[in-house]
Amino acid sequence: MKEKIFLKIRSLFFERVHDEAKLLHKGIKKNPSFLFILVGIASIIWLLLRSARKPSRLSYPCQRVASANSIIFISWVGSVFLSIFSRRIRSSGKILVRGGLMLFSVALLYIALKTVYVYYNHFNFVPYAVGQTGSRVVWVKQDGAATGWSSNYATRVNGNIVDSMMDTAITRLTGQSTVKAAWSQLFKNHNGGRDYQAGETFAIKVNFNNSYDSNLINANSKVVNALLRQLIVEVGVKPTDISVYDVSRSFPSGFSSDISSRFPGVRLNTDRSVCVSSGVGSAQLGCVLQNSKYLINMPLLKVHGDGVKVSMSLKNHFGSSNSPSSFHSTMYTNSRTSSQIVINKQPVIKNKTILVVGDGIYGTKKGKETSNPGGSDGIIPYPNSIFVSTDPIALDSVMIDYIASQPDTKISGTNLSWVQTLYQNAAAEGLGTFDTSADTNFDFKYDKINLVRCVNGSCSGSPLPTSVSTPTPTSTTTPIPTSVRKPGDANNDGKVDGLDYVIWVDNYGITSGAKFSLGDFNGDGKVDGLDYVIWVDNYGS
C-alpha cells in the first residue's frame, strides 16, 4: 500500500512535471499547467528550507526531486523572457543563450542555497558536536575536586583538579586530542565551518541567585577559571573580550577576586543594562547578550522551590534579566508557555549558545534554591562533577536524573513528572533533546543522549582521544556503560533508512506511551510529524 502511494506521488510530482517540461521546450504545449507552476515554486521553497540549512540533505531522494524540479522551472521562466526577443537571435545564438541560461539557473540556485546556509548557521543553535551522533553529554567526576563547603570561594574547590576535569570534558565532547582542537571544532560547528576570529566576544552566564550569602549554593569561581583558562590560554581570546555576568545579581567580592587574580582583564558583571526582548511581557534581557558573539551557560546542580522543582540551564537565564520576578507568573506552568521555555527561545540565547557547563562540584537534592550544599539538603558525598554539552536540554536531562537518583530527594513522584513534562515541552520547542533513565532505575542509559562518563580518569561511552590530560586515578570506580542509538534509527540497526520510516508510518498517530522503537524519536510519547522531521534530518547517517 505504501509503495503504491509513493509511486502515485512520484508520477504526479516528478514524471508529469518533467514530461510537461519536454512538451513546453519543444513547443508542442504553449502554456504551462497550474500544477507545473505550483510544483516549480513549491520545489524551490522546499529546497531552500530544507537543504539550505544542511546541504548534505541534497542527497535525500525528496531533495533530488526538488532540485530537478527547481532547475526545470527556473529554466522555463528564463525561456519565457528569452522568447520575447528570440526572433532577433540566430539559431546558434539561441543554443548558446539557452545553455548559458541553464548554467545561470544552476549557479543562482547554488548561490541561494549557500547564502541561506551561511546565514542560518551564523545564527542557529547547533546541538551536536561535529562527528558525533545524537546529543552528546560528557559527565566528568573526580574525587577531591570538592575540598569541603565553605564561604571561601578560593578554597572550597581544588583548582588544579577542576582544570584537568574541564580539559577532559571538552576533548571528550568533541573527540579531539587537545583542548585547542576541541574548541576549534566547536567554533566551526557553531559557525557553519568558520573557526573563531580574533576580537569575537563571549558572555558567560553564571548563577548567583544567592549572591547575598556565600554560604548558600552559588557559582564556583574555580570552575569558571577552568573554562577561562581554556579560552584565554588555549584558544587565545583576550580577557577583555570575555564577560562573566549575572544581570540580576552582583558578584560577591570573593568570587570576583579569585577570578581577577588569575585572569585580570576579564569583565566581571560590568554591563547589567537591558535592551533585548525576553519574549515575556515587557521584561528585557541584558545588552551583554546582544553585544556578544558567543554565549556559555553555566547552571548549577541544584533544586528549586516547590514551584519549579529544579534550577538548571533553562532557569539560569532568569538572571539574564534585571527583573526575574517578571517571569514568575508563568514559571509555575510546565507547558510550552512557561517563561523558562519562552526566554530560552529568544535568538540572543538560543542561537548564540555554543556550550553549556553544568557546575556539579557541589549540589542539592532537596530544600529550596537557598539551600546549603554542605548541609542536610546537599548531595553527600559531594558530586565532584562537571557536565558539558552543546545541548542544554540533554545536559539538564542527565543532571535531573542524577538528583532524582539520590536518596531522600525531592525530585521524585509528581515533582519528577512535572519536571520531565517541562523538558519534554522544551525539546518540542526546539531547545534540545530530552531523555530520561527514570524508567530503568536511573542507570544513565539513554536512547537519544550519547552520554560519556569519566570517573576518576576512566571513561566510558567513546574511545579515549590521545594526549588527553586526565587526573591521576584515586579509586577504581567502574563507570556505567552507555547505550547509544542514532536519532531516527527505530530498529537500532545502526542506520537511518527506509526501514525506520516504515516503522514510523506504521505507528503514526499514537498519542501516548510510544517508545523510541515505535518511531517516537523526540521522547514525547507520541508518534507524529516532529518525529518524521528527526528521521529526515538523520536520513542516510
Side-chain angles (χ1 to χ4, degrees), residues 506-537:
D506 286 343
N507 295 286
Y508 180 83
I510 294 178
T511 57
S512 63
K515 297 293 185 181
F516 187 91
S517 59
L518 298 179
D520 175 25
F521 303 132
N522 65 351
D524 64 357
K526 299 180 289 185
V527 180
D528 53 19
L530 294 175
D531 304 302
Y532 171 77
V533 172
I534 293 175
W535 174 81
V536 169
D537 284 345

Side-chain angles (χ1 to χ4, degrees), residues 100-168:
L101 180 62
M102 177 64 74
L103 292 175
F104 173 75
S105 300
V106 174
L108 183 64
L109 191 59
Y110 172 80
I111 292 172
L113 282 170
K114 186 68 175 178
T115 301
V116 176
Y117 169 67
V118 172
Y119 178 83
Y120 176 84
N121 277 282
H122 183 71
F123 291 100
N124 188 52
F125 163 71
V126 181
Y128 310 110
V130 174
Q132 310 301 339
T133 57
S135 291
R136 170 165 285 201
V137 177
V138 178
W139 172 6
V140 181
K141 180 181 184 299
Q142 179 64 41
D143 294 341
T147 57
W149 185 257
S150 74
S151 60
N152 190 330
Y153 288 94
T155 62
R156 69 190 187 196
V157 175
N158 186 314
N160 291 331
I161 291 179
V162 171
D163 279 357
S164 185
M165 291 171 68
M166 193 70 76
D167 287 355
T168 299

